Amino acid sequence: MGSEVVTAVQAAADTELVAAIDDAAERDKVRGADVVVDFTHPGEVMGNLRWLAENGIHAVVGTSGFDDARIAELREVLAANPGPNVLIAPNFGIAAVLMMNFAAKAAPYFESTEIVELHHPNKADAPSGTAYRTAELVADARQQAGAEPMPDATTSEIPGARGAEVEGVRVHALRMTGMIAHQEVVFGTHGETLRIRHDSMNRESFMPGVLLGVRRVAELPERVTVGLEPLLGLD
Ligand SMILES: NC(=O)C1=CN([C@@H]2O[C@H](COP(=O)(O)OP(=O)(O)OC[C@H]3O[C@@H](n4cnc5c(N)ncnc54)[C@H](OP(=O)(O)O)[C@@H]3O)[C@@H](O)[C@H]2O)C=CC1
Ligand SMILES: O=C(O)C1=N[C@H](C(=O)O)C[C@H](O)C1
């Protein structure tokens, strides 16, 4: 993803590349940048964001691994360092953002919702950040609608057979040679099912969203924004 960002930033007429680094020890090279784009590793990103906040640099983050606890920690870091904003996008694909938005809209109309995400086998984390965020959005929409818990009679299970549970929503992760990034949100109710599917065919597809974030992060009203939705008029 870092290489794709370098290409996209260099190709855009209104952005200039300051540096590209792949090691925390090289952070000094990005001093002077207005914005840093972070596609690193869930275990590294918080250290990077702390350093950027302390050095007054806006951050556009694609790295996965953000749960509520991390967001709360980040807000505390930013409160102690006035100035820069952080935009965290679980997925920069515009169609992926729409898929999550449509899933949240559909969720209250179905008894059951489960998420299947499919990625390349080099992915370090499971479930994907996109699946995690989708589960949060679905759970929130169901809660606001007063939905009952989803029916599930499973009493005997080989661990993992029913996937991971994120806020009551089951998430199933596949790692497959030949895949890039894909997700299907499956809804079921009496006599009807609905599937909302998103496919990323290449890594270039994330770049319009990344550039949108780079251009707009400084003007966001919140210090920490999760999701591209406000930049797309979808919030
Ligand atoms: N939001 C979105 O739309 C998308 C998000 N992602 C997410 O982005 C993340 C990265 O994905 P991907 O590019 O495929 O992963 P890669 O492992 O291919 O790349 C990560 C890079 O970050 C480097 N790195 C590790 N630590 C640091 C650090 N502290 N500072 C700077 N660089 C560092 C790694 O170096 P080294 O190899 O030497 O460790 C490596 O070059 C994942 O969490 C993934 O889920 C991916 C695609 C889209
Ligand atoms: O690692 C990836 O490839 C991707 N990571 C993000 C995620 O965890 O959701 C976004 C996209 O799915 C590609």
Side-chain angles (χ1 to χ4, degrees), residues 104-173:
K105 283 198 167 63
Y109 298 95
F110 294 87
E111 278 195 9
S112 307
T113 305
E114 300 204 9
I115 298 169
V116 183
E117 57 99 325
L118 309 88
H119 279 82
H120 57 90
N122 294 325
K123 186 164 177 57
D125 57 314
S128 72
T130 306
Y132 193 93
R133 179 69 176 152
T134 310
E136 286 182 331
L137 293 170
V138 164
D140 191 44
R142 285 175 58 87
Q143 198 215 335
Q144 282 185 34
E148 297 289 323
M150 294 181 211
D152 181 357
T154 310
T155 50
S156 163
E157 180 193 359
I158 294 177
R162 292 286 293 116
E165 196 175 328
V166 178
E167 297 193 15
V169 180
R170 295 281 170 180
V171 182
H172 311 266

Side-chain angles (χ1 to χ4, degrees), residues 110 186-189 191-195:
F110 294 87
V186 186
F187 302 93
T189 194
E192 279 193 297
T193 65
L194 173 69
R195 286 164 186 253

Side-chain angles (χ1 to χ4, degrees), residues 81 94 229:
N81 294 281
I94 309 296
E229 287 84 346

